[in-house]
Amino acid sequence: MTPTAAERNRPRWRSEDPLLGWVGAICLASLAFFLRRWHLGTPHAFSFDETYYAKDAWSLLNHGYVLTYVEDADKTILNGNLTGLWQDTPSMVVHPEVGKWLIALGIKVFGMDPTGWRMASAIVGSLMVLLMCRFVRRVTGSTVLGLVAGLLLAVDGLQLVLSRLALLDIFLAFFVLCGVHCVVADRQWLRDRLASGRHSRALGLWRPWLLLGGVSFGLACGTKWSGAYVLAVFGLLAWIWSAGARRAFGQRRALLRSVFLDGVPAFLALVGVAFATYVASWTGWLVHADSYEETLSNTQYTTYDGGKQWPTATEPDATGLGEVTQSLRSLWYYHQDVYTFHSHFLNDSTHIYASKPTTWLVMGRPVGVDAQTEIQPGSQGCDAPSGSDCIRQVLLLGNPVIWWGGCLAMIASLLLWIGARDWRHGVVVAGIASTWLPWFLYDDRPIFYFYAIACLPFMVLSIALAMGHLIGTSDVPTPRRTFGVVVAGSYTVLALVAFAWFWPIWTDVLLTKSEWDARIWFRRWI
């Protein structure tokens, strides 16, 4: 049958090719895992905040909740001695437990050593590349742009280093991306149902993608509370999209219908499921809440609100519902203490690598998580000339091509969202707004550039959308298309070159002082 003009003009690069899309994404994720697994156990040390999260994870694995550690526990663990590490007092950890449970799974399989406590990050960071491919494929309709986006994420330095450390932020970024992907998928699912007339009048309680999104956002909040901002913004956006879809399909009183037929189910699916997931993530703590209450009763424990005891430490359960209610009440008071810690206790603290959110997207102040300086010639293979020395470093620094190019792309996304009402750029704007702007509320205490890892997927999406605009929607050879392909291809190659150049300071490779200087472009990067 002869194809129609529309079929002939439909761009092949935007057509669905499930095999190519999935095989390509899996190959990129495998490459990402190889890069993240390479010498994962180096440096053989607790790098930066690994000293908290790796040991917390080890305690969760052995006890179900976090105990305080004996003095010099870090040195003892690195020497291979895993006995006699804990004291009897529970630890007042200040972050939820999902990320630490994931770290604990890696330790369970691979052992309590640097490779073991970093393995979960390497796996999740690699899966994030796979998810990035599919997310951009869903938003743009292009398998090619999806694969390019996955490649860019795989060669970013901040994502690479966080995938090689036992910190929480890579898990937060992964679950946030999962949640947003589900909300975007729900947008398409709802519009398909409206087009078929199956979602016009009945209360749409069955929103499978939003239910999955609720689980994802619950896990994000169960890793770090900052996931709640993304949940709020994309929950509102899901409702706005629902109202717009009903209006687009000619329904009367579209806004009113969307409030009751879409807004209520969306709230239950996203917020309700996220809350239930979040509470369930504290199961280990809830089972052992009596340990915290007992410690408080014995006045051996100081909470962050000035030593005030929780009522559950001395008051019996007044509800008559048993220990479950008492444990939930204790968890509530625990959250009050943790909130006090984050909002007040840190205000007077300082840190050499702290930075303001205004500098994050341009990589104004990266974070050094490990360094060995002044390695003498002949030591550890150092071949520096006489009078010089060598350096090993792990620096939380993004790929400059991706971050600086992404800033330009995000400006374009903002203009196209406002001017052209392009919902795809609305995803970029909502993503950046919900993962970056909230930190301006807390810039009076030490916060760090690597918190911006949750912004990165939306920055990469913006770059992919910009490439799509440059290339155009037709595969007919034109000067515009040729120009777009050259620009997009050159940008991708430049990102790969930058990845190779900065690789040594991301992965603890031995460098001479002059080689290190060549990679530290600004004084603030030291």
Side-chain angles (χ1 to χ4, degrees), residues 80-287:
N81 185 0
L82 303 179
T83 60
L85 296 174
W86 296 291
Q87 299 180 5
D88 295 330
T89 308
S91 176
M92 187 69 174
V93 295
V94 296
H95 287 296
E97 300 193 335
V98 169
K100 287 171 279 189
W101 276 113
L102 291 173
I103 295 171
L105 290 177
I107 294 172
K108 176 68 174 178
V109 176
F110 296 95
M112 183 56 181
D113 57 28
T115 298
W117 65 63
R118 294 168 187 162
M119 185 58 71
S121 297
I123 293 172
V124 170
S126 304
L127 290 175
M128 190 175 170
V129 173
L130 173 63
L131 180 61
M132 191 76 217
C133 294
R134 303 309 299 171
F135 173 62
V136 174
R137 170 65 187 84
R138 183 176 291 279
V139 173
T140 65
S142 168
T143 297
V144 172
L145 290 180
L147 296 178
V148 170
L151 178 62
L152 292 177
L153 186 69
V155 299
D156 177 70
L158 185 62
Q159 208 273 354
L160 171 75
V161 178
L162 286 175
S163 299
R164 294 169 54 85
L165 292 173
L167 304 185
L168 302 181
D169 300 85
I170 194 66
F171 306 117
L172 171 68
F174 175 77
F175 289 127
V176 162
L177 183 56
C178 281
V180 173
H181 189 176
C182 290
V183 172
V184 171
D186 175 77
R187 178 188 186 276
Q188 298 171 344
W189 179 88
L190 178 63
R191 295 176 78 89
D192 289 343
R193 287 180 65 87
L194 288 172
S196 64
R198 291 177 292 166
H199 201 87
S200 57
R201 293 181 176 84
L203 186 66
L205 291 175
W206 175 242
R207 301 280 288 270
W209 281 109
L210 286 189
L211 291 171
L212 289 173
V215 173
S216 298
F217 282 124
L219 293 173
C221 296
T223 303
K224 277 192 168 183
W225 286 353
S226 54
Y229 293 109
V230 193
L231 169 61
V233 169
F234 277 91
L236 180 61
L237 192 59
W239 172 68
I240 293 173
W241 282 342
S242 299
R246 290 187 180 278
R247 188 181 303 111
F249 283 95
Q251 292 191 3
R252 298 175 58 188
R253 298 185 296 275
L255 180 61
L256 185 62
R257 284 175 179 268
S258 68
V259 170
F260 295 101
L261 301 183
D262 302 318
V264 173
F267 181 85
L268 293 174
L270 277 177
V271 179
V273 172
F275 179 76
T277 303
Y278 176 80
V279 174
S281 73
W282 285 92
T283 298
W285 193 99
L286 290 168
V287 170

Side-chain angles (χ1 to χ4, degrees), residues 123-456:
I123 293 172
V124 170
S126 304
L127 290 175
M128 190 175 170
V129 173
L130 173 63
L131 180 61
M132 191 76 217
C133 294
R134 303 309 299 171
F135 173 62
V136 174
R137 170 65 187 84
R138 183 176 291 279
V139 173
T140 65
S142 168
T143 297
V144 172
L145 290 180
L147 296 178
V148 170
L151 178 62
L152 292 177
L153 186 69
V155 299
D156 177 70
L158 185 62
Q159 208 273 354
L160 171 75
V161 178
L162 286 175
S163 299
R164 294 169 54 85
L165 292 173
L167 304 185
L168 302 181
D169 300 85
I170 194 66
F171 306 117
L172 171 68
F174 175 77
F175 289 127
V176 162
L177 183 56
C178 281
V180 173
H181 189 176
C182 290
V183 172
V184 171
D186 175 77
R187 178 188 186 276
Q188 298 171 344
W189 179 88
L190 178 63
R191 295 176 78 89
D192 289 343
R193 287 180 65 87
L194 288 172
S196 64
R198 291 177 292 166
H199 201 87
S200 57
R201 293 181 176 84
L203 186 66
L205 291 175
W206 175 242
R207 301 280 288 270
W209 281 109
L210 286 189
L211 291 171
L212 289 173
V215 173
S216 298
F217 282 124
L219 293 173
C221 296
T223 303
K224 277 192 168 183
W225 286 353
S226 54
Y229 293 109
V230 193
L231 169 61
V233 169
F234 277 91
L236 180 61
L237 192 59
W239 172 68
I240 293 173
W241 282 342
S242 299
R246 290 187 180 278
R247 188 181 303 111
F249 283 95
Q251 292 191 3
R252 298 175 58 188
R253 298 185 296 275
L255 180 61
L256 185 62
R257 284 175 179 268
S258 68
V259 170
F260 295 101
L261 301 183
D262 302 318
V264 173
F267 181 85
L268 293 174
L270 277 177
V271 179
V273 172
F275 179 76
T277 303
Y278 176 80
V279 174
S281 73
W282 285 92
T283 298
W285 193 99
L286 290 168
V287 170
H288 298 91
D290 57 335
S291 299
Y292 290 85
E293 295 164 4
E294 180 181 353
T295 304
L296 284 166
S297 299
N298 294 333
T299 65
Q300 299 171 354
Y301 197 75
T302 301
T303 58
Y304 287 120
D305 64 351
K308 179 182 177 182
Q309 289 185 349
W310 304 336
T312 51
T314 55
E315 298 175 2
D317 176 34
T319 65
L321 298 179
E323 188 61 32
V324 173
T325 303
Q326 192 80 337
S327 296
L328 289 171
R329 288 181 64 210
S330 293
L331 184 63
W332 170 254
Y333 294 122
Y334 186 94
H335 275 63
Q336 288 182 331
D337 277 355
V338 173
Y339 177 78
T340 300
F341 170 82
H342 283 297
S343 57
H344 301 294
F345 186 77
L346 291 175
N347 286 351
D348 297 328
S349 303
T350 59
H351 197 286
I352 188 174
Y353 288 118
S355 59
K356 300 292 185 181
T358 49
T359 68
W360 288 357
L361 301 187
V362 293
M363 306 189 309
R365 181 58 170 161
V367 177
V369 298
D370 193 88
Q372 298 179 56
T373 59
E374 300 182 356
I375 300 173
Q376 298 302 311
S379 175
Q380 301 184 33
C382 176
D383 59 357
S386 178
S388 183
D389 50 36
C390 291
I391 295 176
R392 292 184 184 272
Q393 184 176 32
V394 178
L395 188 66
L396 276 164
L397 173 72
N399 187 320
V401 175
I402 295 172
W403 285 79
W404 295 343
C407 288
L408 297 177
M410 287 188 299
I411 295 173
S413 286
L414 178 62
L415 296 176
L416 287 168
W417 178 57
I418 295 173
R421 302 284 185 91
D422 190 328
W423 72 271
R424 302 171 302 169
H425 292 284
V427 174
V428 173
V429 174
I432 296 297
S434 59
T435 55
W436 178 46
L437 295 183
W439 289 108
F440 285 82
L441 300 173
Y442 308 103
D443 64 355
D444 56 346
R445 63 179 178 86
I447 51 179
F448 303 95
Y449 157 64
F450 64 85
Y451 294 176
I453 183 62
C455 305
L456 181 60

